[in-house]
Amino acid sequence: MSLTGKPALTTAAAVTNDGFWPDLTLADLMNNYRIPSEYADGVIKTGLNMALINVNLKLASVKAQLVLDGYVSLAAYTTAHPEALNGKQVLEELYKHAVYARAKAGLLMQFAAINRRPQAENQAKEGDDMETHWLDESQAAIAEFFRRFLPAETVFSKANTLAVLI
């Protein structure tokens, strides 16, 4: 058993990415982003997969630029241009944060639906604010990739930014 109450094999499961972006793990999501252990394995894995797909789509033009520049993966880029903090590559951590934060946003909205205790009712009341917070965290990480690699493209650092045309 892990500290989350889930069997270690469940939380250790790797989620294989597309070969360019780093692989992820359910354990990182559950431990570092405090995903409730009440979630079924399939719910967590689906949430992580959907977040991964979403972030990969948002970063498609960044990936295309890096491939055009001759890098076969983000790891290849960070090897050539290391920027480490606490022994971890900043860009790899930004990517993981973008995915895990987006997964948490999606999973938070399911908590009230699967749990009928009073804390779930409170969660449902505050859920929109929490979802917005985690989507903003994800979007800020995505925007940092654009600032570094495609600075001419306008990408908002908030997920729920509205523009009004007059």
Side-chain angles (χ1 to χ4, degrees), residues 3-157:
L3 294 175
T4 64
K6 293 273 191 192
L9 289 176
T10 299
T11 59
V15 177
T16 304
N17 212 326
D18 66 357
F20 183 86
W21 301 109
D23 293 342
L24 306 172
T25 67
L26 294 174
D28 283 348
L29 174 62
M30 292 181 70
N31 296 331
N32 298 333
Y33 290 82
R34 298 192 57 188
I35 303 302
S37 61
E38 291 92 346
Y39 287 165
D41 295 348
V43 171
I44 298 167
K45 188 156 187 171
T46 297
L48 182 54
N49 285 340
M50 295 311 299
L52 183 141
I53 290 166
N54 189 286
V55 170
N56 285 1
L57 288 171
K58 289 181 178 295
L59 290 174
S61 57
V62 170
K63 175 182 172 181
Q65 182 61 52
L66 287 168
V67 168
L68 187 64
D69 291 344
Y71 300 102
V72 296
S73 66
L74 183 62
Y77 178 85
T78 60
T79 298
H81 306 278
E83 181 184 355
L85 185 61
N86 292 322
K88 297 187 179 199
Q89 289 300 318
V90 170
L91 288 175
E92 290 176 14
E93 292 301 303
L94 275 172
Y95 174 80
K96 290 176 184 179
H97 184 62
V99 175
Y100 292 143
R102 192 162 292 270
K104 178 156 182 149
L107 290 168
L108 276 174
M109 299 314 295
Q110 295 186 31
F111 187 65
I114 66 169
N115 192 340
R116 301 290 179 221
R117 291 183 279 177
Q119 71 189 44
E121 291 175 22
N122 188 39
Q123 176 82 26
K125 293 174 193 165
E126 298 173 6
D128 289 342
D129 290 341
M130 292 302 293
E131 179 188 32
T132 298
H133 167 76
W134 288 106
L135 287 174
D136 285 349
E137 284 286 311
S138 176
Q139 187 60 34
I142 290 167
E144 181 58 26
F145 275 94
F146 280 88
R147 277 192 287 281
R148 289 175 182 235
F149 299 108
L150 299 169
E153 289 192 30
T154 301
V155 176
F156 294 107
S157 60

